[in-house]
Amino acid sequence: MNEDTRDPSPAAAAAAAAEEKDKKEEEEKGKAEEREKLPPVLTPSSSSGSSTAASGAVERGAKGQLSTFSSFISTASQKKEVAEKRSSPTQLVTPNIKNVRDLPPICLDVRQKQRLSIDSLSAEMKAPVPPEPALPIRTKTMKDFQEDVEKVKTSGEWKEVHDFYLTTFDSFLELSATFKKDANTPFNTLEDSGINAKFVNAVYDALLNTPQDIQKSVLKGIINSLLREWKGPRSKDDLRAYFILLQNPQFNNTSTYVIYAHLLRQIATLVEADHHFLVHWFKKLSQKRFKQLVDRLLQFISLRLFPAKPEEFPPMTKCSWWIPSAAKVLALLNAANDLAHLPVIPYTDFYNSTLDHIDLMEEYHTWQCFGNSRRFSFCQYPFVISIAAKKIIIQRDSEQQMISIARQSLVDKVSRRQRPDMNMLFLNMKVRRTHLVSDSLDELTRKRGDLKKKLKVTFVGEAGLDMGGLTKEWFLLLIRQIFHPDYGMFAYHKDSHCHWFSSFKCDNYSEFRLVGILMGLAVYNSITLDIRFPPCCYKKLLSPPIVPGDQNTPVGICSVTIDDLYQIMPELAHGLNELLSHDGNVEEDFYSTFQVFQEEFGVIKSYNLKPSGDKIPVNNQNRKEYVQLYVDFLLNKSIYKQFAAFYYGFHSVCASNALMLLRPEEVEILVCGSPELDMHALQRNTQYDGYVKTDLTIRYFWDVVLGFPLDLQKKLLHFTTGSDRVPVGGMADLNFKISKHGTSTNWLPVAHTCFNQLCLPPYKNKKELKQKLIIGISNSEGFGLE
């Protein structure tokens, strides 16, 4: 008999049957495990006891309240313990500590602000695309819906509207069928979600004004959708449904938080490729709707941390996944915000001020110890931590490093049987005003091992004791001298009002290292500096945020665009933009090659942007490459050695994982403070010694100061605090004090910059006070006698 057509033996048939039986049992076991994760699906037509009881629980809710939904799906939280014993998707895998600032890992670094295609995803990150299910046919348009809502105002009959909401929110397929612009088009692109956003907004805007039974019907439909058993990867219609549901304004109500938490968990545990789509869809939302999503999530986290009514929520031990899920979804929105050409909202809108009141150092240490584990820490999502909170983390981390270094110095001294000296606990700088830069450079070079100690400055020949004021003045004078155009280290660009690194080649770049050390010491010692670097500088300073172990690894190199060049050399950037948008023949009209020229000490030098660049003409086809190479040359390659010295100087002081929590903009604020003065805020937060705020002299003082132009207000701030910049915490952080000076009114005001204190004699009238104050603040350099 032919081998291909012979009948199987009885033994083979029995073996096949046994194998089939085992396979079915395995499938049933898998389904049972999946069902443990969430309660069974509830359908309106179900007549089972459990379904009826659950539905009844919904309907018995008190009028105007939706809290019964918490009990409705509380079994989900109760059964979560079973899922946690396995590797449940409710526990989020936190990112590697080295890449914490790149959350979430949306394929490429979102800070590159490139338009990404799903084709750029690696094969292992691409989820298999399931066939799109056939959607129900829905013909109601936004205009039809709005007309139905208007009819209610005259008829009082909600049935038509109720039926619409009941049908629309019955399932994910119904949501897609209602809001999809074209049911017959798959819309599988990153740039177009295929959703009629105006229709979604209209439906949600009307929802909150409908009767409670309609609102409950919507929530009930969402519950049923979320509790369905899922098989295989999500389709794009499923992603659209998540995208739509996340915008539901009902989730502002704490009584819906249990449902909201399950929605967030399912979104958070989607595969990377699905997150990639959601990020691109989020960035297309209007600013108003985008901010509503962010605010809702921040509120959810705040109220879970500090609930007004703890009994509203399950115990924290039963819902430990709530906050990690919300943080992950916030990370997707933050990625969308960074990916947009212009941020949809300011990055500060992601700050959650509630986190200022938790144990930040515990969060930081958890992150340090368990960075890539399943243990959650807010430091894994640093965009939600305010700059004030980050400053606290950096300061305490710095203090711990200072104490550690000082303790080690003390131990070393004792172990050598030497007498301890208190000066060994500080970084003591002794400099001459006439040789400020050279003395500072020598001192910092000799005391390289003491940079992480508390800084104290002494000016040779002066009687001032440094309680903080001399340190402030040392920074101010040193920065002023180094950044002077005649010094040649930095070029000042008038159009952009900022400094940039000189590209002149030299044998020794130690002075650039000195500037980096100064910036590091300023952050380390909570001093604000009057430095005007463009934002690009701070982006380079965090590239990478931790100094690489391999000295051959390039540092200070980051992705730059023509937008970065605009912040430094706007005229040149404008010219390059003209080249990019030119309609004619670029090669004939511009007559350029891949070669650039720079003047160095009066000599014009040429540089090729690529091999044999002087022989390659710039034309319509390669002009984008030319512009990118030119920008990269100006901001990265031409100043590499200067910036590398600056980078290593900064990180020699500030080497800390805490830097990984910061955005470039936040580093700038920590270094420079804010240039925006609010003298009214200073007035509100001023303390008095010997005066009260109603005294005539104090009233004269504030009348004069509030009427000063900005330059005199800055001089006053510099006179009294040693810096004309506002620290991170605002004017309240200055602890500004006005004391009564019991001397003759012929004397000028005196300041103790160590304590931000102004000693003000009781002048007889406003004119005299103004005259003496202006003289004092305009001639305020130096401590004691030379």
Side-chain angles (χ1 to χ4, degrees):
M1 183 182 293
N2 189 307
E3 186 70 21
D4 293 335
T5 59
R6 70 185 178 187
D7 295 328
S9 67
E19 185 179 348
E20 184 67 23
K21 182 179 178 183
D22 291 343
K23 186 176 179 182
K24 287 183 177 179
E25 287 178 356
E26 190 66 29
E27 287 180 357
E28 289 299 322
K29 184 180 177 182
K31 290 179 179 178
E33 287 180 351
E34 286 296 318
R35 283 194 291 270
E36 284 295 307
K37 295 177 184 176
L38 288 171
V41 182
L42 301 171
T43 58
S45 60
S46 175
S47 58
S48 66
S50 61
S51 178
T52 305
S55 300
V58 173
E59 298 304 325
R60 287 194 296 272
K63 185 176 181 181
Q65 296 294 325
L66 301 170
S67 59
T68 50
F69 286 101
S70 297
S71 58
F72 181 73
I73 59 172
S74 61
T75 49
S77 299
Q78 293 169 1
K79 292 187 177 183
K80 178 179 172 289
E81 293 177 2
V82 178
E84 284 181 340
K85 292 178 182 178
R86 303 184 297 274
S87 181
S88 169
T90 61
Q91 291 181 311
L92 303 179
V93 179
T94 55
N96 189 304
I97 193 170
K98 294 180 181 177
N99 300 318
V100 71
R101 295 181 64 252
D102 296 336
L103 287 173
I106 308 298
C107 187
L108 297 179
D109 189 344
V110 294
R111 287 169 294 163
Q112 294 177 2
K113 294 188 178 180
Q114 296 178 2
R115 293 187 176 276
L116 306 178
S117 167
I118 194 65
D119 294 333
S120 65
L121 287 170
S122 58
E124 61 271 16
M125 291 179 63
K126 289 184 181 179
V129 180
E132 298 285 338
L135 295 180
I137 301 300
R138 294 286 171 261
T139 57
K140 182 159 287 195
T141 64
M142 181 174 72
K143 184 178 179 182
D144 296 334
F145 170 76
Q146 290 173 330
E147 287 175 355
D148 289 341
V149 173
E150 284 297 317
K151 288 176 186 175
V152 172
K153 295 179 181 179
T154 55
S155 67
E157 178 54 57
W158 285 94
K159 185 179 184 310
E160 194 72 25
V161 175
H162 192 173
D163 288 346
F164 171 82
Y165 280 110
L166 195 65
T167 303
T168 299
F169 288 88
D170 179 63
S171 68
F172 280 14
L173 280 182
E174 292 286 353
L175 276 171
S176 290
T178 301
F179 296 115
K180 203 170 177 181
K181 287 185 281 192
D182 184 353
N184 298 319
T185 306
F187 290 105
N188 284 333
T189 66
L190 289 170
E191 299 302 325
D192 190 356
S193 66
I195 294 170
N196 186 336
K198 291 183 178 179
F199 197 2
V200 173
N201 295 340
V203 169
Y204 278 143
D205 289 343
L207 177 58
L208 295 182
N209 297 317
T210 61
Q212 286 295 311
D213 59 336
I214 295 180
Q215 296 189 40
K216 288 180 181 180
S217 296
V218 169
L219 289 172
K220 185 176 176 182
I222 294 172
I223 292 169
N224 289 338
S225 296
L226 294 177
L227 298 184
R228 282 197 171 85
E229 293 183 26
W230 291 97
K231 296 179 181 178
R234 304 292 196 266
S235 69
K236 293 300 174 289
D237 285 325
D238 297 333
L239 293 187
R240 277 184 271 275
Y242 283 129
F243 183 68
I244 293 166
L245 290 179
L246 200 60
Q247 300 176 56
N248 188 341
Q250 290 177 292
F251 294 134
N252 287 328
N253 193 325
T254 55
S255 63
T256 65
Y257 272 13
V258 176
I259 311 169
Y260 191 35
H262 279 275
L263 172 64
L264 297 177
R265 179 175 65 173
Q266 291 192 14
I267 294 174
T269 53
L270 291 170
V271 298
E272 180 76 10
D274 289 342
H275 283 163
H276 200 72
F277 274 91
L278 287 176
V279 164
H280 280 267
W281 293 351
F282 283 143
K283 75 176 184 179
K284 295 298 183 70
L285 286 171
S286 69
Q287 185 184 53
K288 176 185 175 183
R289 305 292 171 176
F290 190 94
K291 191 170 188 325
Q292 285 174 349
L293 285 182
V294 172
D295 291 345
R296 192 175 297 133
L297 284 159
L298 293 175
Q299 177 183 282
F300 176 81
I301 291 173
S302 298
L303 292 178
R304 177 62 276 190
L305 285 172
F306 301 104
K309 298 178 181 178
E311 65 277 3
E312 277 189 314
F313 306 136
M316 185 67 87
T317 53
K318 296 288 185 182
C319 59
S320 58
W321 48 272
W322 280 28
I323 289 176
S325 298
K328 181 68 175 184
V329 177
L330 263 175
L332 299 177
L333 286 161
N334 181 63
N337 199 50
D338 285 344
L339 195 62
H341 177 65
L342 294 174
V344 185
I345 59 176
Y347 71 90
T348 52
D349 283 355
F350 283 89
Y351 287 165
N352 190 332
S353 57
T354 305
L355 302 184
D356 297 356
H357 306 288
I358 66 174
D359 190 338
L360 293 167
M361 292 312 293
E362 182 181 354
E363 293 289 319
Y364 180 66
H365 291 313
T366 299
W367 176 62
Q368 291 276 81
C369 299
F370 305 97
N372 198 32
S373 74
R374 293 175 179 273
R375 188 161 177 181
F376 174 79
S377 166
F378 281 108
C379 291
Q380 294 161 350
Y381 303 90
F383 54 85
V384 300
I385 304 176
S386 70
I387 180 64
K390 288 172 183 171
K391 182 184 178 184
I392 291 171
I393 292 174
I394 289 172
Q395 281 181 335
R396 291 184 184 172
D397 189 53
S398 300
E399 288 166 4
Q400 289 172 3
Q401 290 188 48
M402 286 180 181
I403 292 169
S404 177
I405 296 292
R407 184 186 292 124
Q408 187 60 47
S409 297
L410 190 61
V411 169
D412 291 344
K413 200 87 169 176
V414 172
S415 66
R416 293 196 298 267
R417 299 180 182 276
Q418 297 175 346
R419 185 176 179 179
D421 179 5
M422 287 304 294
N423 283 328
M424 64 185 291
L425 303 179
F426 299 94
L427 169 58
N428 294 290
M429 300 287 296
K430 196 169 184 179
V431 296
R432 297 166 293 176
R433 287 184 184 271
T434 51
H435 300 78
L436 195 61
V437 175
S438 58
D439 284 1
S440 299
L441 190 58
D442 290 343
E443 287 279 87
L444 290 173
T445 302
R446 283 193 304 108
K447 299 175 179 178
R448 189 174 298 174
D450 296 336
L451 293 179
K452 288 183 179 290
K453 295 179 181 178
K454 184 70 176 175
L455 176 63
K456 285 193 178 296
V457 175
T458 302
F459 285 99
V460 175
E462 298 186 15
L465 180 64
D466 190 11
M467 299 296 289
L470 289 174
T471 296
K472 292 178 184 177
E473 190 182 23
W474 175 71
F475 274 113
L476 187 79
L477 297 178
L478 198 54
I479 291 298
R480 186 184 298 169
Q481 189 167 333
I482 286 174
F483 280 84
H484 195 281
D486 293 344
Y487 208 75
M489 287 177 63
F490 298 94
Y492 182 71
H493 297 271
K494 293 182 179 179
D495 293 343
S496 57
H497 305 290
C498 72
H499 290 95
W500 191 241
F501 294 76
S502 168
S503 61
F504 297 162
K505 304 295 184 291
C506 59
D507 297 328
N508 189 351
Y509 296 96
S510 58
E511 290 184 342
F512 288 99
R513 188 180 183 92
L514 170 62
V515 179
I517 291 174
L518 284 177
M519 280 183 54
L521 287 172
V523 172
Y524 210 62
N525 291 271
S526 300
I527 304 290
T528 55
L529 301 179
D530 186 13
I531 294 179
R532 292 179 175 86
F533 279 135
C536 172
C537 173
Y538 300 97
K539 186 163 62 170
K540 288 167 66 68
L541 202 55
L542 293 178
S543 301
I546 300 298
V547 177
D550 184 359
Q551 292 294 318
N552 295 320
T553 303
V555 296
I557 299 292
C558 67
S559 175
V560 289
T561 68
I562 199 168
D563 292 335
D564 295 307
L565 187 63
Y566 258 113
Q567 296 165 349
I568 307 169
M569 310 169 196
E571 283 191 11
L572 176 57
H574 179 73
L576 292 176
N577 253 336
E578 289 287 321
L579 172 68
L580 290 174
S581 59
H582 185 65
D583 292 334
N585 188 311
V586 169
E587 183 174 352
E588 293 180 358
D589 295 344
F590 285 84
Y591 200 68
S592 297
T593 62
F594 277 71
Q595 185 183 49
V596 294
F597 300 90
Q598 282 191 332
E599 181 182 347
E600 297 181 12
F601 301 109
V603 178
I604 303 296
K605 292 190 175 182
S606 62
Y607 298 91
N608 287 342
L609 297 178
K610 57 193 297 188
S612 303
D614 56 326
K615 298 179 177 63
I616 303 173
V618 178
N619 54 42
N620 294 62
Q621 287 71 43
N622 62 19
R623 56 182 170 180
K624 286 185 180 179
E625 180 192 11
Y626 169 77
V627 169
Q628 184 56 43
L629 289 174
Y630 194 4
V631 172
D632 183 62
F633 172 80
L634 290 172
L635 304 187
N636 282 326
K637 292 178 179 175
S638 67
I639 58 161
Y640 178 75
K641 290 184 178 179
Q642 294 89 323
F643 198 92
F646 172 75
Y647 173 95
Y648 282 117
F650 178 81
H651 287 274
S652 67
V653 185
C654 281
S656 167
N657 285 333
L659 284 180
M660 297 166 67
L661 303 176
L662 299 174
R663 295 175 60 97
E665 301 93 329
E666 292 170 330
V667 178
E668 180 178 12
I669 293 173
L670 284 176
V671 171
C672 304
S674 171
E676 298 178 5
L677 305 188
D678 184 351
M679 302 309 284
H680 290 283
L682 184 65
Q683 181 183 12
R684 288 193 300 271
N685 290 284
T686 297
Q687 302 170 5
Y688 300 97
D689 180 17
Y691 285 117
V692 294
K693 63 181 180 181
T694 55
D695 285 345
L696 203 56
T697 302
I698 298 301
R699 286 159 55 190
Y700 288 157
F701 173 80
W702 288 115
D703 283 347
V704 168
V705 169
L706 294 175
F708 272 166
L710 182 61
D711 63 323
L712 282 180
Q713 289 181 343
K714 285 192 171 186
K715 284 184 178 180
L716 171 66
L717 203 61
H718 170 231
F719 176 67
T720 53
T721 70
S723 171
D724 63 358
R725 312 278 284 193
V726 182
V728 170
M731 290 296 193
D733 270 13
L734 284 175
N735 297 317
F736 184 64
K737 179 186 283 188
I738 299 178
S739 300
K740 192 169 187 177
H741 204 314
T743 57
S744 167
T745 54
N746 292 327
W747 283 46
L748 297 174
V750 175
H752 299 294
T753 55
C754 314
F755 309 107
N756 297 340
Q757 182 178 8
L758 176 68
C759 298
L760 193 66
Y763 296 113
K764 297 175 185 178
N765 55 59
K766 189 190 296 186
K767 181 178 179 182
E768 184 182 10
L769 184 147
K770 182 176 182 179
Q771 182 185 20
K772 295 281 175 44
L773 185 62
I774 291 176
I775 293 173
I777 65 178
S778 300
N779 301 272
S780 60
E781 195 167 290
F783 288 77
L785 301 173
E786 289 280 353

